[in-house]
Amino acid sequence: KKLRKERKISQGVMARDIGISRATISAFENGSMHDIGIKKIIIMLDYLGCELWIKEKSQWPVFEELKND
């Protein structure tokens, strides 16, 4: 949502341009869609000029994990 809004793109325009429904984009942005599929995520990221990186998990905890302990 943040990336889309920073680029001043409406959900409707994005939906039309990438062929994913506005309802799907809205549900994904609001966290109410639990199984969107990696292909749709990659399409949305690419449209917004971003990419998904995969890296090995660190053996060390991240700050959020330490904070919650």
Side-chain angles (χ1 to χ4, degrees):
K1 186 175 193 173
K2 179 182 173 188
L3 291 171
R4 182 181 57 74
K5 287 191 169 202
E6 285 174 354
R7 288 155 176 79
K8 297 179 177 24
I9 301 169
S10 71
Q11 288 178 344
V13 168
M14 183 172 166
R16 181 197 68 217
D17 290 349
I18 64 176
I20 296 174
S21 75
R22 192 203 59 76
T24 297
I25 294 169
S26 177
F28 177 70
E29 289 181 348
N30 294 315
S32 61
M33 176 168 277
H34 303 288
D35 190 18
I36 189 170
I38 193 71
K39 186 175 180 179
K40 287 181 183 174
I41 292 171
I42 291 170
I43 289 169
M44 289 190 285
L45 286 171
D46 183 62
Y47 179 79
L48 296 170
C50 297
E51 59 187 11
L52 181 65
W53 284 47
I54 298 173
K55 66 175 192 158
E56 286 188 39
K57 184 176 179 178
S58 172
Q59 66 181 7
W60 307 106
V62 296
F63 177 74
E64 287 79 17
E65 292 169 336
L66 294 172
K67 185 173 79 171
N68 292 331
D69 282 348

